Amino acid sequence: MLKPCAVIGQPVDHSLSPAIHQAFAAQFGETLEYSKLEVAEEDFESAVNNFFKGGGLGMNVTLPFKERAFRMVQKFDELAEMAGAVNTLYLRCEILCGTNTDGVGLVRDLRQTLHQPLDGMQVLILGAGGAARGIVGPLLQAGVAGITVANRTPARAQQVVDWISQHGGEGQPLMARAFDKLVELSPDLIINASSAGIDNKYPEIPADKVNGAICYDLLYGPAAIPFCQWAGQQGARQVSDGLGMLVRQAAESFQLWHGLKPQVTPVVEALRAEPLPGLCRDPTEKPLQHRRNQK
Ligand code: NDP
C-alpha cells in the first residue's frame, strides 16, 4: 500500500484526481488511499499541516488555494515561482515543498497527443487566473515564439505578464491584451484557460483568430464543449479538451511522490470511455458524453 495522498480545494467533489492516482497505483499492483479534502477558506493552512503531520505523503491543491499554497511552502522550484502558484505539495527533510505540474502536463499533452512541436509558435492564452499563470513558464521553456495573455478583465492579464517578467521571465516575448485588442495577432495555438465553459460560455474573441489555429481548452467534460464546439465551427485546425493535461499533470505529481513513472494513455482512454462528470454550476445537470475533436 502506498502512503496516503489527497487533493485539497473548494469544491473538490468533481475532482477526478482520486480515480487517476488510484489507476496509476494499480499499474504497479499497489493500492492508494487518495482523499478529497474540501475545506473552508480559513482552514486551508491548518488542513495542510494536519495532513502531513498525520503521515500524508503528497497533496494536490486545486481552486481556490494554489496561490495560498505557494505562499505557504518553505521551498519551491522555478515552475512554482513563475506561476506564483503551487498544485503539488510534499515534504523533504521535514520541509514543506511545492511545485506546479499544470504547465508540464499541458506541454506533454500538446507534444505527445496532438503531435505539436511548439517551437516557434505564437500562443494566445485566454484567461488570467491560476491556470494561465501555471502554463506560461513551461510554454516559454518549450520554445514558443511569443505568448499573449488576453483576459476579460485586461488588468489581470497585465498582472500575470508583470509577475512572470519579474519571476524568471525577464525579457521573454510576453504581452497582455483585452479580448477586443487582438487585431494584429495571428496565433498558431489558442489555449482557453478561462473558466467560461463552467457557465456554458466561451471567451468572446474575434472568430477570425481561431480559423486555422490549434485550439486547446483546459477544461474537460461538458464544460469544454462550448469553446471546443465554437472553435471547430470557426475552422480551427485541431481542437482538444484538457483531459490529457489533467492526467499528465497528475502523472508528474505521482512520480514525484512515489518515485514510479505511470502510463498515462490507458488512464486517459479509460476516462474517455466514460461520461465525465461536468464542472457544471447545476449539480443536477446530467453530464453530456465527453467530446474531443469537434471537426
Ligand atoms: P480562475 O478562477 O483563477 O480564473 C478564471 C479565469 O476565467 C479568469 O481569467 C476569468 O476572467 C475568466 N473567465 C471566467 N468566466 C469568463 C467568461 N464568461 N468569459 C471570459 N473569461 C471568463 O480559474 P483558474 O485559472 O484556476 O482555472 C481556469 C480553468 O482551468 C478552471 O475551470 C480549471 O478547472 C481549469 N484547469 C484545468 C487543468 C487541467 O489539468 N486540465 C489544470 C488547471 C485548471 P476575469 O479575470 O475577467 O474574471
Side-chain angles (χ1 to χ4, degrees):
M1 177 124 174
L2 297 172
K3 283 192 178 170
C5 297
V7 57
I8 189 166
Q10 169 70 265
V12 282
D13 246 13
H14 67 274
S15 177
L16 295 174
S17 292
I20 294 170
H21 281 265
Q22 282 158 356
F24 289 158
Q27 292 176 5
F28 301 95
E30 296 279 3
T31 52
L32 171 65
E33 182 192 324
Y34 188 110
S35 18
K36 295 179 189 177
L37 299 180
E38 182 148 341
V39 294
E41 292 264 336
E42 61 274 19
D43 296 333
F44 172 70
E45 284 80 5
S46 58
V48 170
N49 286 330
N50 289 340
F51 173 78
F52 285 107
K53 270 188 208 146
L57 176 71
M59 192 177 238
N60 283 131
V61 183
T62 187
L63 279 171
F65 297 125
K66 290 181 187 181
E67 285 88 353
R68 293 248 303 262
F70 173 69
R71 291 197 291 274
M72 190 183 173
V73 294
Q74 295 153 284
K75 197 173 171 192
F76 48 78
D77 63 9
E78 193 189 359
L79 292 176
E81 184 184 6
M82 257 196 175
V86 152
N87 77 337
T88 303
L89 293 169
Y90 56 100
L91 288 182
R92 282 283 182 276
C93 306
E94 302 302 311
I95 288 177
L96 184 64
C97 303
T99 186
N100 193 315
T101 64
D102 283 340
V104 176
L106 170 70
V107 167
R108 292 237 160 102
D109 199 42
L110 284 164
R111 281 189 171 142
Q112 291 169 16
T113 312
L114 303 184
H115 310 291
Q116 295 304 329
L118 298 175
D119 317 60
M121 278 191 176
Q122 285 294 341
V123 182
L124 172 60
I125 296 176
L126 309 175
R133 283 172 176 268
I135 63 177
V136 172
L139 284 166
L140 288 171
Q141 288 174 356
V144 301
I147 299 179
T148 302
V149 180
N151 196 40
R152 181 176 62 178
T153 311
R156 261 187 109 188
Q158 190 61 55
Q159 282 166 13
V160 171
V161 167
D162 290 347
W163 171 277
I164 291 165
S165 302
Q166 292 156 18
H167 294 86
E170 296 85 355
Q172 294 285 352
L174 286 174
M175 281 194 305
R177 285 290 161 89
F179 287 157
D180 59 355
K181 298 274 182 325
L182 303 173
V183 181
E184 84 287 6
L185 289 186
S186 304
D188 305 296
L189 171 62
I190 301 179
I191 298 171
N192 181 21
S194 82
S195 53
I198 296 175
D199 292 325
N200 205 22
K201 294 179 179 163
Y202 53 84
E204 292 180 11
I205 60 164
D208 66 315
K209 300 296 148 200
V210 168
N211 196 337
I214 297 156
C215 291
Y216 192 102
D217 196 336
L218 297 198
L219 289 167
Y220 45 86
I225 292 175
F227 178 71
C228 290
Q229 194 160 287
W230 176 75
Q233 286 162 356
Q234 305 313 316
R237 177 147 60 96
Q238 200 172 3
V239 179
S240 177
D241 71 6
L243 186 66
M245 167 181 171
L246 180 78
V247 178
R248 287 176 200 281
Q249 63 77 25
E252 290 297 307
S253 303
F254 187 91
Q255 189 173 354
L256 179 70
W257 295 333
H258 307 289
L260 301 167
K261 188 175 166 66
Q263 297 287 316
V264 167
T265 308
V267 178
V268 175
E269 284 172 358
L271 289 170
R272 289 209 185 280
E274 296 292 325
L276 291 174
L279 301 173
C280 306
R281 292 262 186 242
D282 176 4
T284 62
E285 206 170 296
K286 189 173 178 288
L288 300 173
Q289 181 63 44
H290 157 82
R291 277 187 264 180
R292 180 160 178 247
N293 278 313
Q294 307 296 317
K295 287 193 79 192

